Amino acid sequence: MYHFEYQRPATLDEAVALLKEDCKLLAGGQTLLPTMKQRLAQPEMLVDLGAIETLRGVCPDDDKLAIGAMTTHAEVASKADIPALACLAAGIGDPQVRNRGTIGGSVANNDPAADYPAAVLGLNAQITTNKRVIAADDFFVDLFETALEENEIIINVTFPRPQAAAYVKFDNPASRYAIVGVFVAKTGGGVRVAVTGAGPCVFRHKDLETALTSNFSAQSVDTVTVSATGLNNDLHASAEYRANLIKVLTKRAVAQIGG
Amino acid sequence: MGTQTGIGASVKRKEDKRFIIGKGRYLDDISRPGQTYGYFIRSPHAHAKITSLDSTAALKAPGVVAVLTGPDMQADGIGPLICGWGITSKDGTPHKAPAHPALAIGRVRYVGHQVALVVAETLQQARDAAELVEIEYEELDHVIEVGDALAAGAPQIHDDVPGNLSFDWELGDRAKTDGAISAAHHVTRMKLRNNRLIPNAMEPRAALGDYDSGTDEITLYTTSQNPHVHRLVLSAFNAVAPEHKLRVIAPDVGGGFGSKIFIYSEETVCAWATKKLNRPIKWTAERSESFLSDAHGRDHETFAEMAFDANGKILGLKVSTKANVGCYLSTFASAVPTYLYGTLLSGQYTIPAIYCEVQAGFTNTAPVDAYRGAGRPEATYVVERMIEIGAREMGIDPAEIRKRNFIAPDAYPYETPVIMTYDSGNYALAMDKALEAIDYSGFAARKAQSQTKGKLRGIGFSAFIEACGIAPSAAVGSLGAGVGLWESAQVRFNPTGSVTVFTGSHSHGQGHETTFAQIISDQLGVPIDQVEISHGDTGKVPFGMGTYGSRSLAVGGSAIMKAIDKIVEKSKKIAAHTLEASVEDIEHSGGVFKVAGTDKQMTMAEIAFSAYVPHNYPADVEPGMDETAFYDPLNFTFPAGTHIAEVEIDPDTGTTEILDWVAVDDFGNVINPMIVEGQVHGGIAQGIGQALLENCVYDKESGQLLTGSYMDYCMPRADDLPTFRVQTINTPCKTNPLGVKGCGEAGAISAPAALMNAITNALGKEIDMPATPEKVWRAAQGL
Ligand SMILES: Cc1cc2nc3c(=O)[nH]c(=O)nc-3n(C[C@H](O)[C@H](O)[C@H](O)COP(=O)(O)OP(=O)(O)OC[C@H]3O[C@@H](n4cnc5c(N)ncnc54)[C@H](O)[C@@H]3O)c2cc1C
């Protein structure tokens, strides 16, 4: 690690006031700290969001569920009353990671193989920051790239309640991140299918959504051709295999929901 | 003696308390006054010339003590790292082992190659300064795969090794084997790949050099499986210090699996630099350094032919292997794909003709050397895959074909065509027990049931054999070993009756502090909590060859037995004197010395006390009760057994689930069944890792290690594994006093073949390791 300054503000306003160039927000540190230890990142200052109480907690409402950015994966796993979301959080990393890592950090990081982006996009969530509210469809831009501006702070993520939803993940055997993860949600506005792990960035599979909206069944998934074009091709899985997994996992998610 | 703590009892491991309460003392827990920290600058290139190295800026950085390089070492007369086993090629020429300077001189040959050491007051300062060392490289062409390295026109890795060929070795009778193959009813031919592995001990390698200018003595703390071998090599070959001025301490060591046998660059550099700088220097590998620079394992490309008669009787086996040895020959690298491999190709079978040839090729990768099993997993994989595939091709049941070929229980000693003489075994018994345990006759029904769920079920066998207890010194000497492979033990009674045993074996997870204490407790009647096992310090232990090749109990334990014999002999004299009887009339059993036919007796504790307080004592006997013995084994030992794996494959995703695992192993006599079972579990887990999950991959284009962290290198985890059902049978070894064979590597040797046989049985198709989901999916889908 290179030398850096460390601040731990108690309120969001204090945090915003501290922000400057070459500074990084620190949440659970599960991505940021390893990167710094490997000397791949060199922030001059870390602003630790850990003491800001208002950023933490699960807030259920009739038609939605708001989760503070600093809520850990473990808390979401035990407290979120959207079962697919709780189950997704329970499948992230290991207990240490789940008790440190946060939803805000994961979403802001937008790792192509991370789990949360699939839920955020699949459930059509909204990301509230200190500056604005961003729709999931506009948030995930590209590999490790989001709509967040420099030093924009995620305050919470709000999930509309689906009629039903399921997340099925095929683990990378080594890292246990998603080789492919598919989040299927039945919502008032039709079925949404969000795919993580398979491409450079989480994406919605429109053909699967159309097929499932008109006929919510595994057979309906079979009618869709999932193209391998543009999918990731790496040491662990070819694009072709990932395309197969998208279909298989979508069918399994549909079956879990009861299609 | 007390069955509670004696031979055969599952005594809980004495050493575990300190490990569990955080009081284990691993290398990084040790610090010396005035200690500095070393950080190694490593090559970012697979193959390059070092055109310049400028440490001016680094030397001015805060806290920096020195920047040391290969030429500095050379100038101080420090010799290159050595390979300690000479192999002779077919044409009679010795193997080629190019000079391996501990820090690169002029050229780097793999990503991670040690280029310079930065020494500073803190690790942070050393790392910061390392970024200021300006090194210019001129990249050269590189080669990663051994097949490519040995092909015409490959980039030359060493100027003095044409064609990158270290040796071209053979064993067995080529003409006879060719004859058997051409006359056979059926010949099975297969290409087999034994995938390259990275060891991944839990504690990374580390070294702490500590020079005392008052005594001119260097103490090297290092993560070694064999501290005396380190001392011997570092003084005799590297000239770091004369042997009597070098003390090597291997404290608690967190796993080795072979990777800590070798004398590496880093500890050589630390031992030299501490004296040069007159400061203690500590280096602890980061995990990524372990991936890059621990000696890797396996990495064979093999073509094998197995010839059968119409009944499935094996007539001959011909094996041609290309072994990747990395960019230099590591300490025992040459022995692994030769005498630890070719000699085991007879398996458990009577095979009249065997021929094996091995070409060892240099590549721009980390050195490859012994890794749990070392050569024997590769041999077992060849034999057990070939016989299984042969059975499939000929339509013979895989258990039945093995039985038709087993060496019979009354055929010992059995001499194989590949220079081994098996002393004992009962292969059909292990097989029968394994078949019963797995309910082999119920397999067809279970398979049909899986089918109804859309799953593919498979069963796979591995009837493995290994040669452990390495090894008779004269035998290995005649095969090229540079050292003797005996072991020493010193058994010291204290006046109050407690015992300290100094052993040259080194425990880095094996549980010697318990097993060895059980031997003392059993033989001499000493309560186990009165026995201390001391190991890992050349300043305390008389001498030792260390722990590898499942040799600790068979060789180190036998040395303890020899020392016990001396203790008993001396004790008899003391008892005879005290009890006023003749020595011939003294009978010994479990620490009680009795005058035959009387109730007159002395206990071991009483005798020990008398030996140190010799007021009433025989005139011709020395005081004290402290005996040292060296034991050179008469033969290898031959643990063997049958493992059966049952798997279910999801053809949609290619996921393999291991449903059941039965292991029936013959380890000869067993001292501690619980520890043995633990060793088997760990070994199987590692073997499953190789077959299913682990794979070291370098990018052919860039030469970079792609699997350089746990993000990409997949270690087996508890939830990848089934409950293992482990049994032992006990055919005592006939060549050592304990009748033990060794159990440390069996699982890792047997498991890959069993699992791959199960997976390919389910698929109805042959695939190579590791059976990753995608590979299995492709096979299942016919892609
Ligand atoms: C061993 C291991 C296994 C893992 N396995 C998985 C897995 O299976 N699936 C998975 O999805 N993830 C996995 N992760 C990643 C884990 O979920 C991380 O916790 C997560 O990606 C980052 O969250 P964090 O709270 O740790 O963020 P940090 O590491 O602290 O920060 C990550 C990035 O987000 C920024 N950031 C943090 N909070 C905010 C905020 N409120 N507003 C704006 N920017 C912010 C930071 O500045 C930084 O750039 C794993 C990590 C490890 C170490």
Side-chain angles (χ1 to χ4, degrees):
Chain A
M1 250 183 222
Y2 295 106
H3 177 84
F4 61 89
E5 233 187 287
Y6 174 82
Q7 295 284 349
R8 190 173 161 91
T11 68
L12 192 61
D13 287 345
E14 278 176 50
V16 172
L18 282 167
L19 298 178
K20 58 174 187 186
E21 231 181 301
D22 284 332
C23 121
K24 272 268 177 203
L25 298 167
L26 175 68
Q30 296 301 294
T31 298
L32 185 54
L33 294 184
T35 318
M36 288 171 64
K37 280 190 186 165
Q38 289 175 297
R39 300 192 162 214
L40 298 172
Q42 191 174 6
E44 279 181 12
M45 180 168 80
L46 287 189
V47 176
D48 184 346
L49 301 176
I52 308 174
E53 280 308 317
T54 53
L55 292 183
R56 198 178 290 270
V58 176
C59 255
D61 209 335
D62 281 351
D63 57 349
K64 58 187 188 300
L65 176 68
I67 301 179
M70 286 300 289
T71 312
T72 62
H73 308 331
E75 285 173 76
V76 175
S78 63
K79 293 190 190 133
D81 58 1
I82 298 173
L85 186 60
C87 164
L88 173 147
I92 296 176
D94 50 45
Q96 290 88 331
V97 170
R98 290 197 289 277
N99 280 296
R100 294 295 307 170
T102 67
I103 187 167
S106 175
V107 169
N109 194 48
N110 192 21
D111 188 306
D115 296 301
Y116 269 128
V120 171
L121 193 60
L123 289 170
N124 197 14
Q126 288 185 326
I127 292 97
T128 304
T129 74
N130 59 327
K131 294 188 179 158
R132 57 193 165 139
V133 176
I134 310 169
D137 281 318
D138 302 325
F139 186 82
F140 301 104
V141 176
D142 206 340
L143 186 76
F144 293 110
E145 201 185 318
T146 66
L148 290 174
E149 289 161 14
E150 190 77 9
N151 291 328
E152 187 172 359
I153 304 179
I154 299 177
I155 293 172
N156 70 37
V157 184
T158 307
F159 297 89
R161 290 187 187 282
Q163 291 158 7
Y167 177 65
V168 182
K169 171 184 183 180
F170 191 87
D171 287 2
N172 176 322
S175 72
R176 304 249 169 131
Y177 274 79
I179 279 193
V180 176
V182 179
F183 199 102
V184 176
K186 271 174 127 170
T187 73
V191 175
R192 289 173 72 102
V193 178
V195 180
T196 190
C201 179
V202 63
F203 64 91
R204 286 171 62 190
H205 202 288
K206 294 288 166 58
D207 290 352
L208 285 169
E209 290 185 351
T210 311
L212 286 170
T213 302
S214 70
N215 173 10
F216 195 78
S217 70
Q219 295 86 307
S220 167
V221 174
D222 275 330
T223 64
V224 178
T225 310
V226 174
S227 158
T229 312
L231 298 186
N232 299 338
N233 195 355
D234 58 31
L235 196 59
H236 303 285
S238 67
E240 192 187 359
Y241 179 59
R242 282 191 160 90
N244 166 67
L245 286 178
I246 292 174
K247 255 177 121 157
V248 171
L249 304 188
T250 305
K251 279 199 259 185
R252 288 180 185 179
V254 167
Q256 265 188 35
I257 293 171
Chain B
M1 164 54 206
T3 50
Q4 300 296 304
T5 59
I7 289 176
S10 284
V11 178
K12 284 204 180 142
R13 300 193 349 152
K14 288 168 52 128
E15 47 269 77
D16 282 351
K17 179 179 172 196
R18 72 173 186 275
F19 298 148
I20 288 167
I21 66 171
K23 294 283 183 179
R25 238 171 122 66
Y26 297 93
L27 211 123
D28 205 46
D29 297 323
I30 298 169
S31 287
R32 304 296 300 156
Q35 176 175 294
T36 62
Y37 293 82
Y39 180 77
F40 283 90
I41 299 177
R42 294 171 185 276
S43 167
H45 303 297
H47 197 189
K49 277 188 189 151
I50 303 172
T51 53
S52 72
L53 190 152
D54 181 356
S55 46
T56 321
L59 286 168
K60 289 186 193 139
V64 172
V65 176
V67 177
L68 301 172
T69 64
D72 295 333
M73 284 189 97
Q74 202 173 33
D76 279 3
I78 302 300
L81 309 184
I82 59 143
C83 173
W85 196 303
I87 293 297
T88 306
S89 285
K90 288 172 187 168
D91 63 5
T93 57
H95 75 221
K96 298 194 176 59
H100 182 183
L103 291 172
I105 298 178
R107 197 143 143 201
V108 287
R109 293 185 165 88
Y110 72 110
V111 174
H113 197 152
Q114 304 81 354
V115 176
L117 175 73
V118 181
V119 182
E121 300 295 339
T122 71
L123 180 58
Q124 196 65 21
Q125 288 170 333
R127 287 202 62 163
D128 286 343
E131 292 181 9
L132 301 174
V133 177
E134 286 173 27
I135 307 173
E136 281 172 21
Y137 295 97
E138 181 190 318
E139 281 194 69
L140 302 168
D141 289 344
H142 61 263
V143 59
I144 298 297
E145 301 282 342
V146 64
D148 297 338
L150 293 172
Q156 278 295 295
I157 297 172
H158 299 280
D159 298 337
D160 49 352
V161 185
N164 301 316
L165 181 70
S166 177
F167 56 81
D168 183 2
W169 171 89
E170 66 181 345
L171 183 70
D173 188 332
R174 177 176 210 138
K176 193 173 167 194
T177 309
D178 281 339
I181 289 171
S182 55
H185 168 79
H186 178 81
V187 181
T188 292
R189 295 188 166 88
M190 269 308 278
K191 270 191 186 163
L192 298 164
R193 179 93 177 81
N194 207 288
N195 45 326
R196 184 178 178 113
L197 303 176
I198 303 178
N200 281 294
M202 205 180 286
E203 183 197 15
R205 286 194 294 117
L208 165 55
D210 184 11
Y211 175 64
D212 182 334
S213 57
T215 59
D216 198 29
E217 187 179 82
I218 295 171
T219 302
L220 173 67
Y221 300 84
T222 190
T223 46
S224 173
Q225 299 180 209
N226 30 240
H228 282 91
V229 178
H230 263 81
R231 188 181 65 161
L232 175 65
V233 171
L234 287 172
S235 53
F237 297 95
N238 307 112
V240 165
E243 217 169 349
H244 65 294
K245 289 293 185 189
L246 179 60
R247 177 174 176 189
V248 178
I249 299 177
D252 284 333
V253 173
F257 312 109
S259 72
K260 293 171 182 166
I261 299 171
F262 322 121
I263 291 82
Y264 288 93
S265 294
E266 290 87 354
E267 59 258 33
T268 307
V269 172
C270 287
W272 158 70
T274 183
K275 180 169 177 179
K276 188 174 182 69
L277 304 174
N278 197 12
R279 296 281 301 272
I281 300 174
K282 176 146 86 179
W283 165 80
T284 303
E286 294 177 6
R287 185 56 70 178
S288 43
E289 292 184 277
S290 305
F291 276 100
L292 287 172
S293 69
D294 287 4
H296 294 174
R298 321 278 193 253
D299 205 347
H300 285 193
E301 293 174 11
T302 291
F303 178 70
E305 299 167 88
M306 193 177 258
F308 298 91
D309 75 10
N311 290 321
K313 176 79 201 64
I314 307 168
L315 302 174
L317 173 64
K318 189 173 177 188
V319 176
S320 173
T321 293
K322 293 187 173 75
N324 191 340
V325 292
C327 62
Y328 292 102
L329 276 192
S330 168
T331 317
F332 288 110
S334 53
V336 177
T338 51
Y339 290 108
L340 296 176
Y341 170 66
T343 52
L344 274 305
L345 287 171
S346 193
Q348 301 186 355
Y349 311 117
T350 53
I351 304 180
I354 299 175
Y355 176 73
C356 170
E357 57 185 348
V358 179
Q359 295 185 315
F362 291 111
T363 61
N364 294 109
T365 64
V368 178
D369 206 322
Y371 173 61
R372 200 172 191 170
R376 292 150 292 162
E378 295 91 316
T380 295
Y381 192 70
V382 170
V383 175
E384 288 306 292
R385 293 284 286 130
M386 293 306 287
I387 193 169
E388 186 97 12
I389 297 165
R392 286 172 194 165
E393 289 173 350
M394 297 176 72
I396 303 173
D397 177 86
E400 177 57 30
I401 198 169
R402 287 180 169 85
K403 287 186 181 182
R404 288 182 197 169
N405 286 283
F406 280 152
I407 297 162
D410 58 4
Y412 299 95
Y414 177 81
E415 206 173 313
T416 72
V418 277
I419 66 168
M420 282 294 184
T421 304
Y422 302 167
D423 66 300
S424 62
N426 194 341
Y427 308 140
L429 178 64
M431 170 65 80
D432 285 337
K433 282 184 175 266
L435 289 173
E436 191 192 319
I438 200 102
D439 180 23
Y440 188 47
S441 54
F443 175 72
R446 296 195 293 278
K447 188 175 173 75
Q449 241 223 320
S450 295
Q451 223 151 17
T452 64
K453 297 183 290 173
K455 300 280 176 68
L456 311 172
R457 202 176 185 108
I459 194 163
F461 295 77
S462 171
F464 76 100
I465 192 161
E466 52 167 330
C468 293
I470 180 167
S473 297
V476 293
S478 75
L479 303 178
V483 288
L485 287 170
W486 40 264
E487 195 48 270
S488 85
Q490 180 180 5
V491 175
R492 175 186 297 162
F493 270 84
N494 301 307
T496 51
S498 64
V499 177
T500 307
V501 177
F502 300 90
T503 170
S505 300
H506 184 273
S507 183
H508 31 279
Q510 290 85 349
H512 296 168
E513 289 171 42
T514 307
T515 312
F516 289 1
Q518 282 180 254
I519 298 174
I520 297 291
S521 182
D522 187 278
Q523 298 289 303
L524 297 176
V526 183
I528 198 156
D529 60 357
Q530 297 286 302
V531 186
E532 198 64 28
I533 306 298
S534 179
H535 60 92
D537 183 348
T538 63
K540 292 183 183 168
V541 176
F543 215 98
M545 295 312 295
T547 288
Y548 37 83
S550 304
R551 71 192 298 272
S552 294
L553 189 58
V555 190
S558 294
I560 293 175
M561 288 297 279
K562 293 290 175 193
I564 288 172
D565 287 348
K566 293 186 183 178
I567 294 274
V568 168
E569 198 184 329
K570 182 168 182 175
S571 295
K572 279 185 175 172
K573 289 183 190 159
I574 299 169
H577 174 87
T578 314
L579 300 172
E580 295 173 339
S582 78
V583 174
E584 293 72 46
D585 287 341
I586 302 292
E587 289 174 344
H588 169 246
S589 169
V592 177
F593 294 79
K594 246 191 175 150
V595 181
T598 74
D599 59 359
K600 290 204 287 184
Q601 64 175 55
M602 277 182 93
T603 64
M604 191 63 233
E606 289 165 341
I607 293 171
F609 183 78
S610 169
Y612 287 100
V613 188
H615 295 166
N616 172 18
Y617 202 69
D620 57 344
V621 177
E622 288 175 22
M625 190 57 79
D626 185 356
E627 296 290 346
T628 299
F630 284 65
Y631 173 76
D632 201 333
L634 301 171
N635 190 0
F636 290 87
T637 64
F638 297 96
T642 291
H643 288 212
I644 307 181
E646 200 164 313
V647 301
E648 200 175 62
I649 287 169
D650 176 348
D652 295 335
T653 60
T655 311
T656 299
E657 191 188 349
I658 305 171
L659 300 174
D660 201 358
W661 197 288
V662 165
V664 182
D665 295 306
D666 187 350
F667 297 135
N669 293 334
V670 169
I671 308 291
N672 184 319
M674 178 196 72
I675 288 180
V676 166
E677 189 173 342
Q679 289 289 315
V680 175
H681 280 220
I684 297 173
Q686 259 169 319
I688 290 174
Q690 167 161 30
L692 214 50
L693 304 163
E694 296 183 49
N695 201 26
C696 168
V697 182
Y698 283 91
D699 182 36
K700 274 188 161 191
E701 291 296 311
S702 65
Q704 296 295 322
L705 178 63
L706 294 181
T707 51
S709 83
Y710 294 124
M711 294 298 281
D712 295 302
Y713 189 86
C714 186
M715 294 295 286
R717 282 171 254 201
D719 65 353
D720 294 315
L721 308 170
T723 299
F724 303 129
R725 298 194 287 136
V726 177
Q727 297 175 38
T728 57
I729 60 172
N730 313 98
T731 321
C733 173
K734 292 185 180 141
T735 56
N736 65 52
L738 285 164
V740 297
K741 297 187 176 180
C743 67
E745 297 159 294
I749 289 168
S750 188
L755 188 50
M756 290 310 290
N757 283 338
I759 290 170
T760 52
N761 171 255
L763 290 171
K765 235 181 237 171
E766 304 307 331
I767 58 170
D768 269 329
M769 299 189 286
T772 58
E774 172 156 8
K775 220 186 266 178
V776 172
W777 170 73
R778 285 186 181 280
Q781 301 298 327
L783 295 170

